């Protein structure tokens, strides 16, 4: 087998972005033929070209098909343009691949290309070893020893001061080895930047829309593009030049039995890039903070269990003297009959575990906890920004890293006032029209969700009466143990939940594609702007989709029912508005929250872990029969799943939706943080496992924060204070019980005796309207026993001058509820703002380090330019020049430092030099 390897001479051209780079000269292009290496004698599990020297930075794959000629021409032009910008290519023939159909194009970026684009992208590289002592040792630090990882895993690279790379000043930086100076994640980021902007058209054609690897993947010209993993995940690479970071990550991070260990964030950042590193840093910090919320929530739940015997109102409900003698009014028209209050004994006891004084304390605690979480995360994020060289990154991303789609679709050009260069732009009229269409589409889909929720509510109202009629004399009522629990309420709730779940899944699947389409239609300028727009659209949809049923149970169900003589009906239909479960609305909200939250988390983890594993197992079934030495590194990675540009987006979305469950409705379920903590401990390791074993290596990307998710979390933190205050006031029975104990207890004692009788109003059975009357058998049976039925409300009895209107106690309770909401909200918000004010967003030591690094950049660049100037002057014969001290004759250091904030040092210094030399 003969394999051509191109050898290039150095010449330069400018690409379509105006970047000067290395290209191959047609006059000096030569081909070096080397004999292919026998597959049986040489392992292909390598990340290098066949020469064993040049590292594979990226891989493209393709398969020839019926439309082969057109695609072959695109590939030929595209690969020729890649060679023109200085990249080196090596192709593996399909005969070398396991399936006999797939070609692999391996790409290597030589030093000249890396240096050129590192200058363009302002990649920060080391210029001096960090000389600031680390005083972060904590007292009693030995206690954390079991949770630590080895030092070489936690800190795989030395700590340096860094500065944006400048190709013209390459000797200013600490370059020991050009092959390893740029990390693999930086190398693949640079190569992807080139791939996403390289065209596949001839210069004379002028079709500017034919550009970028993304379009080539979409039209099937290439089947995949990805950087390589550096080793197998279960064993180290046999090549001594490979660091086997994938193996280290799997061993120390991705295994479940490491759940109690710290995460090797620096190694994650080194291997996968800053964007993925920030996600796992946030997820780990969120999980750590959940520990405190879970402990307090568990204590509140235990308090509810320990005060079980003090629950006077449940004792009255369960007693034959009180609950056994109270006949309740029917819960639906015609089909529902009268019922005894003591049938709700079990649900009343269950409700007390969540509806007690501890609930109020926990709601206030969570309002403060969420503030501490967000404020401490800002500090942690600021520290990571400095340690990972992300300070001032946002401006670079906004100005320099435009989306290729934006550059292609925006044909207009205007002057950028900052860079003073012509750049593409989208006219304001087109932008407004696209934004309006996008917003209208989102509103349409949210309206569709609300319509589906109303449909589910209508279903519940319609089938409840049917189940009540069917199950009245059903054989299920005679089943021992479980028979009493098979009730119309349970049957309605289960079937409605199943329907709701199916609707949620279908709408999610459909809307994901719609959200991506309308975001593409808006043509965002940068990748950051694209993600932020998509985040807002998806979160608004998911917020309504997942939380609407909880909001309905918490704030609408049982609130607009009316009373037996004058019930309220849904939209004027024959469907009577739904009343709360006999145990109260809070226990229903708790049940709804547990089902939706835990079900979503369990299903999500199974789907995330099982589906990629099955697909990879099926895709690599043929290769498993071959020796490992013949299963090449690029084929192994090709058989894995693609992580995709939106892979992290769905991970964030899942966690933020969970964050909403444990903050917005936590007053109804104090164990929610505990369930979230258990889920997240598993989630961290599942995400790590699938990233290291089941997915191709993602293209490294930079991100200085969690982006738009930060503002969403802030908004949910504020909303959670309001929702929890309303849940305690209007959903639980806390306020009515307190008003009774302090103002309406007949004996003037501080206890709850007589509360149940006080909280139920009276209605005359004979006054029930004909359209609402139960069956004749029910009427005759209860008319012989009692003439009155009871219902939950505070209204005057029949015969009173204000018959069936609200009593004064109702208005006292309403005033107490509103006062409670106002007081709790103001107290929590005052504490929140005070805590936020007390905790600075950036730690003082990080602020000092940032200032010192900027100062050192200025000082070292100054000295560097002075030395270069002295050498230049000496070469020009100015040996008598002694002007070194006059480079900055009258500028103190603090002014130099402040000047750096407004103008880059590499702009200031050459101006002084040019002025001095008179050039």
């Amino acid at each position: 087998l003969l394999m051509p390897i191109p050898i290039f001479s150095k010449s330069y051209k400018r690409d379509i972005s105006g970047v000067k780079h290395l290209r191959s000269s047609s006059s000096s292009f030569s081909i070096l033929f080397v004999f292919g290496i026998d597959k049986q004698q040489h392992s292909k599990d390598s990340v290098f070209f066949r020469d064993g020297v040049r590292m594979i930075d990226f891989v493209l794959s393709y398969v020839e098909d019926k439309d082969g000629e057109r695609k072959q021409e695109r590939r030929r032009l595209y690969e020729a343009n890649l060679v023109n910008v200085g990249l080196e290519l090596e192709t593996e023939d399909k005969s070398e691949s396991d399936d006999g159909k797939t070609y692999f194009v391996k790409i290597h970026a030589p030093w000249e290309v890396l240096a050129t684009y590192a200058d363009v992208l302002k990649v920060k590289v080391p210029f001096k070893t960090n000389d600031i002592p680390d005083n972060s040792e904590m007292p009693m630090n030995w206690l954390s020893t079991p949770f630590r990882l080895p030092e070489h895993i936690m800190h795989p690279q030395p700590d340096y001061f860094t500065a944006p790379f400048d190709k013209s000043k390459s000797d200013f930086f600490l370059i020991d080895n050009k092959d390893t100076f740029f990390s693999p994640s930086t190398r693949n980021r640079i190569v992807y930047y080139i791939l996403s902007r390289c065209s596949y058209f001839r210069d004379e054609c002028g079709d500017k829309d034919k550009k970028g690897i993304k379009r080539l993947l979409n039209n099937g010209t290439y089947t995949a593009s990805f950087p390589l993993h550096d080793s197998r995940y279960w064993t180290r690479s046999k090549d001594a030049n490979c660091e086997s970071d994938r193996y280290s990550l799997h061993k120390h991070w991705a295994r479940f039995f490491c759940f109690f260990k710290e995460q090797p964030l620096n190694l994650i950042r080194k291997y996968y890039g800053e964007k993925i590193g920030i996600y796992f840093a946030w997820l780990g910090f969120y999980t750590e903070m959940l520990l405190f919320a879970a402990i307090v929530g568990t204590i509140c739940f235990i308090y509810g269990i320990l005060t079980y015997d003090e629950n006077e109102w449940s004792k009255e409900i369960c007693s034959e003297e009180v609950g056994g003698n109270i006949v309740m009014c029917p819960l639906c028209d015609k089909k529902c009959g009268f019922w005894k209050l003591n049938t709700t004994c079990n649900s009343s006891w269950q409700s007390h575990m969540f509806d007690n004084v501890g609930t109020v304390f926990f709601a206030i605690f969570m309002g403060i906890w969420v503030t501490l979480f967000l404020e401490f995360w800002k500090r942690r994020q600021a520290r990571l920004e400095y340690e990972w060289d992300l300070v001032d990154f946002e401006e670079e991303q906004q100005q320099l890293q435009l989306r290729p789609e934006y550059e292609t679709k925006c044909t207009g050009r205007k002057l950028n006032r900052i860079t003073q260069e012509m750049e593409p732009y989208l006219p304001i009229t087109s932008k407004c029209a696209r934004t309006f269409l996008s917003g209208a589409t989102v509103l349409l889909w949210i309206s569709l969700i609300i319509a589906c929720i109303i449909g589910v509510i209508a279903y519940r109202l319609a089938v409840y009466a049917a189940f009540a009629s069917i199950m009245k004399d059903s054989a299920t009522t005679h089943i021992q143990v479980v028979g009493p629990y098979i009730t119309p309420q349970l049957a309605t709730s289960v079937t409605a939940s199943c329907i709701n779940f199916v609707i949620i899944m279908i709408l999610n699947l459909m809307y994901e594609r719609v959200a991506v389409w309308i975001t593409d239609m808006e043509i965002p300028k940068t990748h950051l702007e694209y993600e932020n727009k998509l985040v807002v659209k998806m979160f608004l949809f998911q917020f309504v989709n997942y939380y609407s049923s909880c909001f309905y149970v918490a704030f609408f169900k049982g609130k607009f029912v009316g009373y037996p003589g004058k019930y309220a009906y849904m939209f004027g239909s024959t469907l009577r508005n739904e009343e709360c479960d006999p145990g109260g609305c809070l226990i229903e909200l708790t049940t709804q929250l547990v089902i939706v939250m835990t079900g979503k988390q369990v299903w999500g983890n199974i789907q995330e872990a099982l589906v990629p594993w099955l697909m990879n197992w099926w895709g690599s079934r043929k290769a498993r029969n071959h020796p490992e030495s013949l299963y090449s590194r690029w084929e192994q990675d090709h058989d894995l799943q693609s992580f995709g540009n939106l892979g992290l987006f769905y991970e964030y979305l899942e966690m933020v939706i969970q964050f909403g469950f444990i903050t917005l409705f936590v007053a109804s379920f104090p164990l929610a943080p505990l369930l979230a903590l258990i889920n997240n401990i598993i989630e961290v390791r599942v995400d790590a496992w699938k990233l290291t074993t089941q997915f191709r290596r993602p293209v490294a990307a930079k991100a200085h924060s969690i982006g738009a998710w930060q503002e969403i979390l802030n908004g949910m933190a504020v909303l959670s204070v309001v929702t929890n205050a309303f849940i305690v006031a209007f959903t639980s029975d806390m306020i009515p019980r307190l008003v009774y104990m302090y103002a309406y207890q007949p004996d003037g004692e501080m206890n709850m005796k007589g509360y149940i009788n006080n909280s139920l109003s009276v209605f005359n059975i004979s006054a029930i309207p004909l359209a609402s009357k139960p069956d004749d058998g029910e009427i005759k049976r209860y008319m012989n026993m009692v003439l009155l039925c009871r219902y939950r409300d505070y209204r005057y009895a029949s015969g009173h001058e204000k018959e069936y209107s609200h009593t004064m106690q109702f208005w006292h309770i309403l005033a107490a509820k509103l006062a409670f909401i106002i007081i709790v909200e103001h107290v929590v918000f005052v504490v929140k703002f005070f805590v936020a004010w007390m905790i600075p967003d950036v730690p003082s030591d990080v602020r000092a380090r940032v200032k010192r690094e900027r100062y050192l950049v200025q000082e070292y660049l100054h000295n560097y330019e002075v030395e270069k100037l002295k050498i230049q002057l000496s070469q020009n014969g100015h040996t008598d020049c002694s002007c070194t001290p006059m480079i900055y004759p009258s500028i103190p250091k603090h002014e130099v430092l402040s000047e750096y904030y407004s103008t880059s040092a590499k702009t200031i210094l050459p101006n002084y030099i040019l002025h001095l030399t008179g050039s």
Side-chain angles (χ1 to χ4, degrees):
L1 175 68
L2 296 177
M3 175 57 59
I5 298 179
I7 305 299
F8 308 111
S9 65
K10 293 183 180 179
S11 62
Y12 297 88
K13 69 172 285 187
R14 291 185 181 270
D15 68 3
I16 55 177
S17 301
V19 179
K20 184 179 179 183
H21 50 72
L22 182 70
R23 63 160 293 170
S24 62
S25 172
S26 58
S27 61
S28 57
F29 180 87
S30 61
I31 301 292
L32 175 64
F33 288 91
V34 295
F35 286 97
I37 301 173
D38 186 0
K39 291 176 61 177
Q40 301 294 334
Q41 302 297 326
H42 182 74
S43 173
K44 297 173 66 180
D45 186 19
S46 171
V47 293
F48 293 93
F49 275 18
R50 294 198 175 204
D51 57 15
V53 176
R54 292 172 294 170
M55 179 183 292
I56 301 173
D57 295 308
F58 228 87
V59 174
L60 306 178
S61 66
Y62 64 90
V63 177
E64 292 182 344
D65 54 18
K66 297 179 181 179
D67 192 21
E69 292 184 4
R70 183 184 302 177
K71 293 180 180 178
Q72 185 177 3
E73 178 65 12
R74 291 180 193 147
R75 287 191 292 267
R76 187 186 68 79
L77 293 173
Y78 186 68
E79 291 172 16
N81 288 334
L82 291 179
V83 171
N84 285 340
V85 300
L87 297 178
E88 299 176 3
L89 310 182
E90 184 178 78
T91 302
E92 289 284 334
D93 190 79
K94 64 180 180 180
S95 60
E96 296 286 307
S97 63
D98 178 72
D99 60 5
K101 298 183 295 183
T102 306
Y103 293 84
F104 293 95
V105 180
K106 298 174 287 185
I107 302 174
H108 168 75
W111 168 258
E112 285 291 334
V113 174
L114 293 173
T116 299
Y117 282 91
D119 193 350
V120 170
L121 299 176
K122 301 302 176 190
V123 175
K124 287 190 174 182
V125 294
F127 70 91
K128 182 185 185 300
T129 304
N130 193 333
D131 59 359
I132 300 178
D134 186 6
N135 299 320
S136 59
E137 288 294 326
M138 299 283 292
M140 306 291 287
N141 203 26
W142 57 271
L143 292 174
S144 63
T145 301
F147 310 105
R148 292 183 191 166
L149 291 175
E151 183 64 21
H152 71 280
I153 298 297
M154 286 301 298
H155 302 284
Q157 295 174 316
D159 192 9
Y160 293 105
F161 288 121
T162 59
F165 184 76
D166 188 338
K167 186 179 178 182
S168 63
K169 301 181 178 66
S170 58
D171 53 337
F172 170 74
F173 302 99
L174 300 178
I175 305 177
D176 295 328
N177 185 346
K178 291 185 176 181
D179 293 333
T180 60
F181 180 67
F182 295 108
S183 67
S185 59
T186 302
R187 295 175 69 103
N188 73 58
R189 183 163 69 94
I190 291 174
V191 172
Y192 185 76
Y193 183 86
I194 298 173
L195 292 176
S196 62
R197 284 159 176 77
C198 190
S199 62
Y200 52 96
F201 61 86
R202 296 189 186 92
D203 292 339
E204 61 269 17
C205 293
D207 188 353
K208 303 298 182 183
D209 192 40
K210 295 181 177 181
K211 181 172 66 172
I213 186 63
K214 185 175 180 180
R215 289 182 62 85
L216 291 172
L217 291 171
N218 290 338
N219 61 33
T221 303
Y222 290 100
T223 56
S225 67
F226 52 91
L228 290 179
H229 284 294
D230 62 0
S231 68
R232 300 172 185 265
Y233 66 85
W234 65 87
T235 184
R236 290 187 177 277
S237 174
K238 297 179 181 179
D239 195 325
N241 294 324
C242 288
E243 296 182 340
S244 300
D245 288 336
R246 184 191 188 191
Y247 166 77
S248 298
L249 286 170
H250 180 262
K251 179 180 179 181
H252 297 284
W253 178 50
R255 295 189 302 172
F256 176 75
F257 292 106
C258 297
F259 72 90
F260 60 93
K261 295 283 188 179
E262 58 185 339
Q263 294 189 85
L265 295 177
N266 289 319
L267 186 59
I268 298 170
R269 174 243 181 171
K270 175 189 173 187
Y271 191 71
Y272 289 113
E274 289 79 3
K275 190 172 184 179
I276 290 178
I278 283 284
Y279 164 73
F280 281 102
W282 176 80
L283 180 57
F285 183 80
Y286 171 44
T287 305
E288 292 171 11
M289 291 293 292
L290 273 176
L291 177 63
F292 302 102
I295 291 173
V296 177
T298 304
I299 292 173
C300 292
F301 179 73
I302 294 174
Y303 171 81
I305 297 176
L306 294 178
T307 57
Y308 203 72
D309 294 334
E310 301 174 11
N311 187 2
E312 289 290 340
W313 54 91
S314 292
K315 291 179 181 179
E316 292 185 353
I317 290 175
C318 296
S319 68
E320 286 295 331
E321 293 78 12
V322 180
N325 291 322
I326 295 179
V327 177
M328 302 294 292
C329 298
L331 295 176
C332 66
D333 294 342
K334 290 291 187 181
K335 303 298 182 181
C336 298
F338 299 96
W339 51 282
K340 293 287 187 69
L341 182 61
N342 61 356
T343 59
T344 66
C345 179
N346 290 333
S347 60
S348 175
W349 284 110
Q350 294 166 6
S351 179
H352 173 72
M353 290 188 293
F354 306 104
D355 189 4
N356 52 65
V357 178
T359 301
V360 181
F361 168 77
F362 191 58
I364 296 173
F365 169 81
M366 287 302 294
I368 300 171
W369 174 87
V370 74
T371 303
L372 291 172
F373 163 64
L374 294 174
E375 292 301 319
F376 282 128
W377 166 245
K378 290 178 185 177
R379 290 172 62 85
R380 178 75 174 118
Q381 185 172 267
R383 192 176 295 277
L384 287 176
E385 282 186 41
Y386 167 74
E387 293 176 355
W388 291 358
D389 302 321
L390 299 171
V391 179
D392 301 328
F393 168 71
E394 183 176 9
E395 182 179 354
E396 297 169 10
Q397 178 150 341
Q398 291 287 351
Q399 292 182 7
L400 298 171
Q401 299 186 25
L402 300 178
R403 293 177 66 240
E405 294 83 359
Y406 182 83
E407 296 175 345
T408 300
K409 295 179 181 179
C410 298
T411 55
R413 292 290 187 271
K414 73 174 183 178
L415 182 68
N416 187 317
R417 296 181 179 180
I418 299 174
T419 62
Q420 291 297 307
E421 295 179 357
M422 299 299 293
E423 67 176 17
Y425 84 103
L426 188 66
I428 188 65
T429 53
S430 176
K431 189 173 184 179
C432 290
R434 293 170 185 272
T435 303
F436 175 78
L437 179 59
S438 174
T441 306
V442 173
L443 289 177
L444 174 65
W445 277 85
I446 290 178
S447 301
L448 179 61
I449 297 174
I450 296 174
C452 291
I453 295 298
I454 294 174
V456 172
I457 295 171
Y459 166 84
R460 294 168 66 103
L461 299 178
V463 301
Y464 179 81
F467 279 126
S469 176
I470 294 171
M471 301 178 70
K472 185 188 304 180
D473 300 318
S474 173
T476 59
T477 58
H478 304 294
I479 300 176
Q480 294 186 3
V481 183
V482 298
Y485 297 97
I486 305 178
T487 62
Q489 292 94 335
L490 178 64
T492 302
S493 179
V494 170
T495 55
S497 297
C498 292
I499 294 173
N500 193 35
F501 178 76
V502 172
I503 290 174
I504 287 175
M505 293 297 105
I506 293 175
L507 291 178
N508 273 346
L509 183 63
M510 297 171 63
Y511 184 75
E512 283 178 7
R513 301 185 179 184
V514 174
V516 172
W517 175 74
I518 59 179
T519 306
D520 287 337
M521 180 198 65
E522 292 183 56
I523 318 179
K525 185 176 182 180
T526 65
H527 294 283
L528 179 64
E529 185 180 349
Y530 180 90
E531 288 190 8
N532 289 345
K533 287 178 177 292
L534 186 60
V535 162
V536 172
K537 294 178 181 63
M538 283 298 295
F539 177 75
L540 285 175
F541 179 83
Q542 298 275 23
F543 183 93
V544 178
N545 207 13
Y546 281 105
Y547 301 147
S548 54
S549 58
C550 292
F551 272 104
Y552 166 71
V553 174
F555 305 123
F556 297 98
K557 185 175 181 180
K559 304 300 186 295
F560 310 100
V561 176
Y563 57 94
K566 192 178 180 181
Y567 281 117
Y569 291 83
M570 184 178 181
F571 302 132
S573 65
T574 59
L575 299 175
R576 201 172 98 189
N577 284 354
E578 195 174 11
E579 294 188 46
C580 285
D581 187 87
C585 279
L586 190 72
I587 192 65
E588 279 201 61
L589 178 59
T590 303
T591 305
Q592 182 81 11
L593 186 64
V594 171
I595 292 174
V596 176
M597 179 180 171
T598 57
K600 179 182 182 300
Q601 291 178 347
V602 171
W603 172 253
N605 281 326
I606 293 175
Q607 189 179 28
E608 287 181 11
L610 189 61
V611 173
W613 181 82
L614 288 175
M615 295 180 71
N616 290 335
W617 176 83
W618 180 257
S620 62
R621 62 192 185 282
K622 292 182 180 179
R624 288 194 298 271
N625 299 324
H626 291 186
E628 288 189 0
S629 61
L630 304 185
Y631 194 20
S632 66
R633 164 61 39 217
W634 43 92
E635 287 178 287
Q636 293 172 37
D637 287 10
H638 182 265
D639 289 341
L640 299 178
Q641 300 302 302
S642 174
F643 191 68
N645 294 330
L646 299 178
L648 274 187
F649 167 80
Y650 294 109
E651 300 295 343
Y652 274 118
L653 182 62
E654 179 185 2
M655 288 296 102
V656 170
I657 293 296
Q658 181 207 83
F659 181 82
F661 280 125
I662 69 165
T663 54
L664 296 177
F665 309 102
V666 75
S668 66
F669 187 46
L671 292 181
L674 179 62
L675 295 181
L677 174 65
I678 296 172
N679 173 81
N680 286 10
I681 290 173
I682 300 172
E683 180 77 20
V684 171
R685 304 304 161 177
V686 168
D687 287 349
W689 173 80
K690 70 181 184 182
L691 204 58
T692 54
T693 66
Q694 304 303 310
F695 284 92
R696 298 169 188 160
R697 187 175 182 175
V699 178
K702 278 185 174 287
H704 75 292
S705 67
I706 62 175
W709 300 112
Q710 182 79 38
E711 296 304 319
I712 289 175
L713 293 175
N714 290 334
M716 294 178 72
V718 174
L719 182 60
S720 67
V721 177
V722 179
T723 56
N724 283 302
F726 271 85
I727 287 172
V728 173
F730 287 97
T731 309
S732 78
D733 288 333
M734 180 66 61
I735 303 301
R737 290 198 291 261
L738 292 176
V739 171
Y740 171 80
M741 186 171 65
Y742 285 102
Y744 287 91
Q745 220 284 346
D747 300 328
E749 299 177 1
M750 300 292 289
N751 58 50
M752 297 301 297
K753 291 181 179 179
Y755 169 72
I756 293 300
N757 190 60
N758 174 268
S759 64
L760 298 175
S761 297
V762 180
F763 189 81
N764 194 329
I765 292 178
S766 61
I768 295 178
L770 182 62
S772 302
K773 278 187 177 181
D775 295 337
D776 293 339
E778 287 286 330
I779 290 290
K780 291 178 181 179
R781 183 156 65 96
Y782 277 92
M783 284 287 285
N784 296 331
M785 296 173 55
V786 65
L787 299 177
L788 304 173
C789 68
R790 310 292 292 273
Y791 60 99
R792 290 180 54 135
D793 208 342
Y794 295 91
R795 294 179 183 272
Y796 292 107
S798 60
H800 194 277
E801 59 179 346
K802 297 181 180 179
E803 184 179 49
Y804 300 130
S805 62
H806 285 120
T807 65
M808 187 56 65
Q809 185 176 354
F810 170 83
W811 299 109
H812 287 166
I813 292 173
L814 180 60
K817 289 180 177 181
L818 297 177
F820 173 82
I821 292 172
I822 294 172
I823 293 172
V824 168
E825 285 184 359
H826 280 71
V827 169
V828 175
F829 280 132
V830 167
V831 174
K832 283 168 64 71
F833 290 132
F834 178 74
V835 169
W837 174 76
M838 284 288 293
I839 302 175
D841 291 349
V842 182
S844 58
D845 63 317
V846 172
R847 192 180 296 111
R849 285 169 178 259
V850 171
K851 290 182 178 179
R852 172 155 178 77
E853 183 165 304
R854 285 171 170 168
Y855 166 75
L856 287 175
V857 170
Q858 185 72 357
E859 183 181 46
Y860 272 65
L861 277 174
H862 165 265
N863 296 335
Y864 172 82
E865 294 290 353
V866 168
E867 292 300 323
K868 285 190 66 175
L869 179 61
K870 290 171 67 176
I871 294 172
Q872 179 183 352
L873 293 177
S874 63
Q875 291 175 349
N876 292 337
H878 299 282
T879 56
D880 57 341
C881 178
S882 58
C883 53
T884 300
M886 297 300 292
I887 296 296
Y888 292 110
S890 60
I891 303 180
K893 287 185 177 180
H894 71 274
E895 293 186 18
V896 174
L897 182 60
S898 64
E899 182 70 20
Y900 181 82
Y901 286 91
S902 59
T903 311
S904 66
K906 73 173 186 177
T907 304
I908 300 171
L909 292 168
N911 290 339
Y912 276 101
I913 296 167
L914 290 172
H915 175 73
L916 184 65
T917 58
S919 301

